[in-house]
Amino acid sequence: MRHVPVLGGLLGVVALSPLVSGAGAPAAWSAGDPAAALRVAAEDTAEPGRTGARIGDRAGDRAGARHRHGRAAVRVAAYRGVRIPVPEGWEVHDLDRDPTRCVRFDRRAIYLGRQGDRPDCPSRVIGGEDALHVEPLGPPPRVRGPEPSPSRDGARRTGRPDRSAALARYTVAPSVDHRVRVPLREAGVVISGMYGKDPSQVQRVIRSATIAPARPARGDDRDEDEDDRDDRDKYHYDRDYRPKHKHPKHPSGLPFFDLGPFGGDDEPRSTAPPKPKPKAEPKPKPKAKPKSKPKAKPKKNPPSGRQQNWTVGKGFDTCTAPSLASMRAWRGAFKVSNIYIGGAARGCAQPRLNRAWVKSVRSMGYRLVPTYVGLQAPCGRYRTRFTAGNAAAEGRRAATDAVREAKALGIPHSKPIYFDMEAYRQDDASCREAVLTFLHHWTKQMKVHRYVPGVYGSVGSVVRDLVLSKGFTRPSALWFAHWDGIPRLYGHPHIPDAMWHPHRRIKQYRGGHKETHGGVTINIDSNHVDGRVY
């Protein structure tokens, strides 16, 4: 059963303003700690006992809370007792109500609930905006007895610290992948997401959140085996450690044990030595057959698990890893699919992408193109960028993080990882040199980790610069985008045939469009492959 939010007459995308302006100016104390100001205002509009998704506030709430305690009202996104004041300009989406909504990180938004099995995601999204996602965390928490109520000093009567107070001090540490993950086990949810240029805005939003632990409604949780398998593997959720072999039980329900001369009955067991068995007569030995020459064993084929490190065929790429059912339905039409394994500019959430998914998809016969979307060019149009000064260091950091992500998915060394470098201006010489410096160090560091360095990009920007570059190390594999609708890999005017040959090329020849196979529709880019894959 899905929770139905109160939308105040609005459906789908809800653009929420954090402060509803009143007659007077905001209180002076809010300027020093904006997170605290939002949190206090959110507490003014709190509704005890609500555990479902709720977006914004009702008309009556607005009127009653607008000037309560002399503070302006805040519109709040609430999910299972977690209340998050919504910053100005951010969207809020209830995924339980809109299961085809795609969780994407190219817009400022808060997503509530789990993403559906068939989200309507674009074929390609480059992230870089601040966004948060609140969803169930593994199995629902077990609540025994009445909920503890907060005391005046901010601590629970059970002696446990107030989690809201801990959130108010939470720090989002800068990281190479710009990822955020805050498990809230007392509420049974996790706040995850990405930050853009710097973590300050996301940190303020998380610090302003409050928690009111409550028992989740029955029938609301999906089976966590598929959706939360990655969480349990990564964060060491306890599994069932009951012994596989149990002691046999007596009809009374008690297990059998060795009780000496007495068993589980009142009568003693016999202690007399066993009677000796009669000796069996020796059987006559059969006559020896004449020895014959052993037959030559037929040569076995190499194990089916061994695959060449390249393939030829049709491929597609899409923003989020589809469900296993969707991948199975599409197998007859495609042989290759990409996966976005990480990076600060990865644009879509990946709730299904884990080691088990990769193994299952490969067992269907797919070959995969691991893709890492890291920081972009200094003269590009995206917020998450490297600079001319740190291009070398960021290139090495990106390679190391990409290898870490690949290993977590079970992708071994000697396999390719492609860096997605989106288009950038060609009239800025220093920017072009920074891109080549970044990719030079990406390539070198990938080889240090014994992975095959690849690059994805447009023939009009990064591919052109790689072909014309001197003094920079080129990647070992190339995935180039030229949307001319022609699946031809060689004979391109900007890429000499002698480069990235043989079996080192993938061409993305058509951009975003929808296709349907096996009754499943996905928004994809089309590719022709004669190159390195996993």
Side-chain angles (χ1 to χ4, degrees), residues 307-312 367 502-504 529-533:
Q307 291 180 318
Q308 56 193 14
N309 53 22
W310 55 271
T311 194
V312 178
R367 305 299 297 275
H503 311 305
R504 295 185 181 184
V529 182
D530 181 10
R532 299 298 296 267
V533 293

Side-chain angles (χ1 to χ4, degrees), residues 427-464:
D427 58 354
D428 189 332
S430 62
C431 175
R432 293 165 59 190
E433 184 174 356
V435 171
L436 291 174
T437 300
F438 180 97
L439 294 178
H440 168 85
H441 288 275
W442 156 271
T443 299
K444 289 285 191 181
Q445 192 70 10
M446 287 284 290
K447 290 181 178 180
V448 169
H449 291 294
R450 298 188 298 161
Y451 280 76
V452 177
V455 168
Y456 163 90
S458 169
V459 292
S461 56
V462 67
V463 175
R464 175 183 179 274

Side-chain angles (χ1 to χ4, degrees), residues 103-143:
V103 177
R104 46 195 293 182
F105 303 121
D106 63 335
R107 55 188 60 179
R108 296 179 179 181
I110 297 176
Y111 300 90
L112 306 175
R114 279 196 176 102
Q115 183 173 273
D117 291 335
R118 295 186 185 180
D120 188 13
C121 290
S123 61
R124 197 166 44 96
V125 171
I126 303 301
E129 292 290 349
D130 302 320
L132 291 174
H133 183 195
V134 187
E135 61 180 323
L137 173 65
R142 295 180 180 179
V143 182

